[in-house]
Amino acid sequence: MMPHEEFRRFGHELVDWMADYLAHVRDHPVLPKVHPGELTDRLPPSAPEEGEPMEAILRDFRELIVPGMTHWNHPRFLGYFAVSGSGPGILGEMLAATLNVNHMVWKTSPAATELEQVTLGWLRQWLGLPEEFFGVIYDTASTSTLHAVAAAREAIAPEARLQGGDGRLILYCSEQAHSSVDKAAITVGIGHENVRKIPTDAEFRMRPDLLEQAIAKDMAAGARPFCVVATVGTTSTTSIDPVPRIADVAARHGLWLHVDAAYAGMAAIVPEFRQVMAGVDRADSLVVNPHKWLFTPVDLSAFYTRRPEILRRAFTLVPEYLRTEPDPRALNLMDYGFQLGRRFRSLKLWFVMRQLGRQGAARIIASHIAMAREFVRWVEADARFEIAAPAPLSVVCFRLKGPDEPNQRLLEAINSSGLALLSSTTLEGRLVLRLAIGNIQTSLDDLRQVWDFLRSS
Ligand SMILES: *Cc1c(COP(=O)(O)O)cnc(C)c1O
C-alpha cells in the first residue's frame, strides 16, 4: 500500500501538474504526431514483478503517455463534438475516485443515490423539462438510448422480456440519426432490419409525413411499430427534428417517443434557445449528455423518462409482488438499468452546476453559439467557400466550393499542423468540413487562427 504521506506528496504534485496542463494546454499540438503501435513498442510487454517508485511512473506518464494524447481539452479541438471538462468537474471526479462507492442500492451509498436524483432534478429545471421526468445517470448516450429502446419494447411488447422478440417490432428514426440507435436495436434484439430510416427534408430534419407513411405500411404488413427516436441536434449538422409533429404521430399510433438530444439539449439552458426542446415535454424518454456541452468530464449521460415504472419493469429481476420498498425515497438504482454496480458520477456534475450556476453555464453556451455565427459570417464572406448546412447552434458545416479532393487536403493540412482538429461529414454525397465549438476555453481568437490557416492554405 502507498503510505499516506506519500499519497499526500504526490497528490499535491499531480494537482500542480493538472493546473499547469489546463493553463498551458494550447502549447500542445491538438493531434499527436505518432504512428500506430508507437506507444505499445515503447512499453514493457509485461507488468513489473515488484512495485516501482511513483517518480518512475510519473516520468513515463509525462514522457510517453502525454505526447501520445489527442488533447480534447485543447480550445482548438473542434472535431466531432468538442467536449471539455472543467476545474470543478475534474475535482469532483477526483473525490468520487477517492470515495469509491458503488451505489447499486440506496443503502450501499445513500448520499450517492440521492445526489443523483437531486442533480438530475436541477438539470431538469435548467432544461425546462416537466417535473414528472424521472432521471437516471448512465455512462454514455449510447447506453441511455439502449435503455430507452428496452423500455419502449417493454411498454409495447412485455412478453419479449421472457420470450425474446418475434422479429416484428419496428423502430423509426431519421436517416441522420446517430448510429447508437442502430446499435441499441441490434443489442436489444429488435434486429437491424427493423430499424426504418425516415428521409429528411432539405435541412436534414425527419419528415413526419414520411414517418406516418412508413408506419402505415408496416402496420398493413402485420408488423408492430413500437418506438420512434427523434433527434434534437443530429451528429452531422445539428439539425433539429420537428419533435411536436413527430410526437403527434407517435401518440396517434401508441409509439414510445425517445428524444436524442445528447449534444444540443444543453442549448435549452440559454433562455433564447429554449425552443430547441419544443415538444420534448411529450417524449417518453430523453437523453442529454452533460459530458458533451456542460463541462463535465466524460463520462456522464443523463437519461430522463416520464415512465420510470416501465424502465424498472424492463430491468428489475425482483418480481413486482416481492418488491419491498421500505421507503419510496430510497431508490435502488440497479433496478433501472442492466448494470449492477454504478460509480458516483453525479458528484462531478453537482460541482459543475454549483460552481458555474445556471447563468454562468448559459453564458458559455451562448458564447459558443455566437462564435459559430461569427465563423459562418467569415465563411460566407469568402467566395471560395460555402456553408453546407444551416448552423442553428455551435457546429458549422462548410466546404471549399467544388470537388471533394481539395477539401480533404485542407482537412489533412490543418489537422496535421497541430493547430486545430476539425472533422468531416458527408452531406448529399459531398465531403464537408465540420467545426464544432464546445470547449470551455475556446475564444474568438482561437477561431480566427483556424480561419486564417484555412483561407490561406
Ligand atoms: C454524441 C452523440 C451520441 C453518442 O454519445 P455517446 O455518449 O458517445 O454514446 C448519440 N447521439 C447524438 C445525437 C450525439 O450527438
Side-chain angles (χ1 to χ4, degrees):
M1 182 183 123
M2 176 181 275
H4 297 304
E5 278 313 309
E6 194 179 328
F7 177 84
R8 184 186 310 280
R9 181 158 63 85
F10 285 107
H12 284 287
E13 189 183 317
L14 285 192
V15 171
D16 281 338
W17 186 91
M18 290 155 71
D20 288 338
Y21 169 75
L22 293 173
H24 303 293
V25 67
R26 282 188 182 82
D27 297 346
H28 297 269
V30 184
L31 264 183
K33 293 187 172 47
V34 292
H35 56 77
E38 186 170 324
L39 177 68
T40 312
D41 292 345
R42 294 179 73 180
L43 294 176
S46 312
E49 281 299 314
E50 297 287 346
E52 298 181 74
M54 277 304 286
E55 284 86 353
I57 302 170
L58 295 181
R59 187 189 58 232
D60 285 350
F61 169 74
R62 281 189 298 261
E63 294 176 7
L64 301 178
I65 307 295
V66 176
M69 299 303 292
T70 297
H71 292 281
W72 285 69
N73 271 320
H74 196 298
R76 290 189 299 273
F77 182 106
L78 303 163
Y80 316 106
F81 281 110
V83 302
S84 66
S86 58
I90 295 166
L91 296 175
E93 189 79 299
M94 285 167 67
L95 292 184
T98 305
L99 293 168
N100 199 32
V101 299
N102 184 344
H103 59 117
M104 53 215 182
V105 297
W106 181 83
K107 76 163 188 270
T108 61
S109 196
T113 301
E114 294 188 21
L115 191 65
E116 181 162 327
Q117 295 301 299
V118 170
T119 50
L120 290 195
W122 290 4
L123 182 62
R124 186 183 63 220
Q125 292 170 11
W126 281 16
L127 299 173
L129 299 170
E131 215 177 301
E132 64 268 25
F133 272 32
F134 166 87
V136 51
I137 292 176
Y138 301 121
D139 52 3
T140 58
S142 305
T143 300
S144 292
T145 293
L146 177 64
H147 284 85
V149 172
R153 184 183 68 172
E154 178 67 23
I156 276 83
E159 76 287 352
R161 205 187 108 129
L162 278 178
Q163 300 156 1
D166 62 3
R168 316 219 57 177
L169 292 168
I170 311 287
L171 182 149
Y172 305 83
C173 61
S174 93
E175 59 192 9
Q176 293 285 326
H178 190 265
S179 56
S180 56
V181 180
D182 302 77
K183 285 197 179 182
I186 293 167
T187 309
V188 172
I190 301 303
H192 205 187
E193 284 183 356
N194 295 325
V195 177
R196 299 275 183 271
K197 298 288 173 70
I198 306 300
T200 52
D201 66 14
E203 297 192 356
F204 309 104
R205 300 169 300 197
M206 189 198 291
R207 281 187 49 187
D209 56 324
L210 297 183
L211 170 66
E212 182 76 61
Q213 277 178 26
I215 293 171
K217 190 171 159 216
D218 284 324
M219 285 173 54
R224 291 170 75 189
F226 80 107
C227 182
V228 53
V229 179
T231 309
V232 168
T234 56
T235 312
S236 262
T237 71
T238 71
S239 61
I240 296 166
D241 284 341
V243 177
R245 291 181 57 205
I246 293 169
D248 290 342
V249 178
R252 197 149 49 237
H253 298 287
L255 272 54
W256 182 284
L257 172 60
H258 175 60
V259 175
D260 178 359
Y263 150 77
M266 295 308 169
I269 297 173
V270 185
E272 301 84 85
F273 290 91
R274 237 328 130 77
Q275 81 278 4
V276 299
M277 294 295 243
V280 173
D281 54 329
R282 297 168 62 195
D284 295 287
S285 59
L286 163 74
V287 55
V288 292
N289 268 5
H291 78 215
K292 257 190 183 146
W293 208 6
L294 196 56
F295 319 113
T296 306
V298 284
D299 45 16
L300 197 162
S301 178
F303 177 79
Y304 289 96
T305 177
R306 64 164 64 258
R307 302 168 77 184
E309 72 290 352
I310 303 284
L311 178 67
R312 195 179 65 191
R313 217 174 70 197
F315 286 102
T316 185
L317 285 172
V318 185
E320 209 57 38
Y321 62 92
L322 287 182
R323 285 194 68 83
T324 52
E325 206 79 275
D327 186 325
R329 301 187 72 190
L331 284 178
N332 295 327
L333 289 169
M334 68 172 186
D335 289 337
Y336 295 87
F338 63 76
Q339 64 185 91
L340 170 65
R342 31 196 0 270
R343 65 195 205 86
F344 191 6
R345 289 194 177 87
S346 62
L347 190 64
K348 58 188 170 185
L349 178 59
W350 187 61
F351 272 44
V352 170
M353 292 182 78
R354 291 189 61 180
Q355 201 270 340
L356 285 177
R358 188 191 60 74
Q359 296 206 18
R363 271 194 297 273
I364 300 168
I365 292 168
S367 81
H368 291 165
I369 298 171
M371 283 191 275
R373 304 225 150 143
E374 185 68 16
F375 193 87
V376 167
R377 280 191 282 276
W378 298 341
V379 174
E380 283 173 343
D382 189 320
R384 291 176 305 149
F385 285 87
E386 61 185 336
I387 293 291
L393 299 168
S394 71
V395 173
V396 182
C397 292
F398 64 104
R399 66 195 304 284
L400 279 163
K401 290 176 184 165
D404 285 352
E405 228 280 300
N407 282 288
Q408 187 64 44
R409 275 204 307 273
L410 188 55
L411 183 66
E412 277 159 21
I414 190 155
N415 289 350
S416 64
S417 75
L419 176 77
L421 178 93
L422 271 63
S423 53
S424 63
T425 186
T426 305
L427 293 174
E428 290 157 343
R430 297 183 316 172
L431 181 78
V432 167
L433 308 183
R434 197 175 157 288
L435 175 135
I437 304 168
N439 184 286
I440 198 165
Q441 294 200 63
T442 303
S443 68
L444 201 55
D445 185 55
D446 287 307
L447 295 182
R448 221 184 297 277
Q449 289 181 48
V450 169
W451 179 238
D452 283 344
F453 184 101
L454 291 172
R455 68 174 176 179
S456 58
S457 288

